[in-house]
Amino acid sequence: MQILSATAMGWCFGVRDAVAAAAAVADPRQATVYGELVHNEQVLHQLHGLGLQQIAETDRARLPTTPTVLITAHGISELTRQRFRAAGLAVIDTTCPLVRRVHAAARQLVSEDRHLVIIGQPGHVEVLGIVEDFPQADVWNDAAAVTVTAQRRLGVISQSTTRPDAAERVLQRIRELHPRSDIRWVDTICQPTRDRQRAIEELLDRISLLVVVGGPRSNNSRALAERAAARGIPAHLVSSADHLRDEWFHADDVVGLTAGTSTPDDAIAAVRQRLEAIRDHWNCSP
């Protein structure tokens, strides 16, 4: 059994900066994280241990009861920012700069009198932050979901963690269904997502099985597993080393290891260590 690691994986700078900002809060018990800071259970557990409060992503209509609110790396709508200001809340903003770029592109396209289309997951918090400001927007996550709109001027953006190949298929379908429309596409897929997708492509021709370290609500972690599955390669998404199962592996496997952008280095290291223990078991077996 061999283990091959992706050349790009794990925390991106946006997540790393957000976690650092949360850890630096002077009085954690007086601050509330508005949603999940990152989609990783281990990180959320660590932040809870610091005393930070949290509003569930499904309960974001509720205002924090603490005097300080911490905006997550996934960002929020301008409408919600206005609610915070009106309530007199102090704001710690950890929105990823690349997510800010998505919001800026959306505002620009709408200012051009274009109907906004978002390629992304309809219920994902990053997408919700845009839709709250532009409720007429369409959100399509795959080519089969695309429908015909009567709008003649379309502006298309993407959730920052969308797989580039998936976005291209949706964009192509939009163009097919709207041959007479004026369509402007602004590519807002972030570079860390592209780097991890490129790295997984480099692995797929060399492995027989893939392990992705990431939380089940992490869009980019799921996308890595989906890419392997689309190539017919079994993929297991695990949030920690404890979720690995010996029966998944065989002596002749070449196992690929990667991780989403919300996965901390220590979680990746623990999974790698556990994989090495499984490998050593096979290598020592008679």
Side-chain angles (χ1 to χ4, degrees):
M1 176 174 157
Q2 300 180 56
I3 305 167
L4 302 178
S5 294
T7 55
M9 61 176 169
W11 273 4
C12 62
F13 74 90
V15 170
R16 194 178 300 274
D17 290 350
V19 173
V25 172
D27 189 353
R29 297 190 181 279
Q30 296 300 309
T32 299
V33 181
Y34 193 63
E36 294 186 358
L37 187 69
V38 295
H39 288 149
N40 182 275
E41 295 175 0
Q42 293 168 284
V43 175
L44 295 179
H45 180 74
Q46 292 168 4
L47 295 176
H48 181 72
L50 295 176
L52 286 163
Q53 308 300 304
Q54 180 186 320
I55 287 180
E57 291 188 347
T58 55
D59 195 24
R60 283 161 53 102
R62 178 168 61 88
L63 281 172
T65 57
T66 59
T68 299
V69 60
L70 193 149
I71 299 170
T72 76
H74 302 107
I76 58 171
S77 65
E78 182 58 31
L79 185 65
T80 297
R81 290 179 191 278
Q82 293 173 3
R83 289 176 60 222
F84 290 164
R85 288 194 288 265
L89 296 172
V91 175
I92 300 172
D93 192 349
T94 75
T95 304
C96 174
L98 301 180
V99 173
R100 291 181 184 275
R101 177 172 171 262
V102 183
H103 285 257
R107 288 193 299 271
Q108 177 61 37
L109 291 171
V110 171
S111 75
E112 296 173 4
D113 196 29
R114 295 179 183 275
H115 178 70
L116 185 64
V117 176
I118 305 166
I119 301 175
Q121 299 296 325
H124 192 279
V125 64
E126 178 185 326
V127 173
L128 292 176
I130 301 169
V131 172
E132 285 176 6
D133 284 334
F134 306 106
Q136 301 306 314
D138 285 311
V139 182
W140 295 321
N141 64 350
D142 60 59
V146 178
T147 57
V148 176
T149 174
Q151 303 292 332
R152 292 302 182 186
R153 287 172 58 82
L154 303 180
V156 186
I157 59 173
S158 176
Q159 182 179 342
S160 63
T161 55
T162 301
R163 274 174 41 196
D165 62 310
E168 182 58 37
R169 286 194 296 271
V170 175
L171 182 61
Q172 179 61 32
R173 185 58 176 161
I174 291 171
R175 288 171 171 157
E176 289 173 357
L177 292 180
H178 303 87
R180 296 181 178 84
S181 294
D182 176 1
I183 301 173
R184 183 180 172 202
W185 157 242
V186 180
D187 188 346
T188 53
I189 299 172
C190 71
Q191 191 60 46
T193 292
R194 292 185 180 280
D195 291 342
R196 282 146 187 77
Q197 285 288 324
R198 172 190 51 76
I200 197 67
E201 289 296 334
E202 293 172 352
L203 270 184
L204 291 180
D205 290 332
R206 306 164 59 197
I207 63 174
S208 57
L209 182 147
L210 179 68
V211 173
V212 181
V213 191
R217 290 183 297 281
S218 169
N219 186 64
N220 68 90
S221 296
R222 291 197 310 272
L224 293 168
E226 289 166 1
R227 187 60 188 146
R231 290 275 298 270
I233 297 172
H236 299 284
L237 178 61
V238 300
S239 56
S240 72
D242 293 338
H243 294 156
L244 292 170
R245 297 290 177 265
D246 290 6
E247 58 267 23
W248 293 345
F249 307 97
H250 302 89
D252 58 351
D253 276 333
V254 180
V255 179
L257 175 64
T258 189
T261 56
S262 57
T263 306
D265 295 341
D266 57 352
I268 301 171
V271 169
R272 172 86 194 195
Q273 184 176 28
R274 176 63 182 141
L275 287 173
E276 290 172 349
I278 294 171
R279 177 199 61 192
D280 293 345
H281 166 76
W282 282 112
N283 290 348
C284 293
S285 297

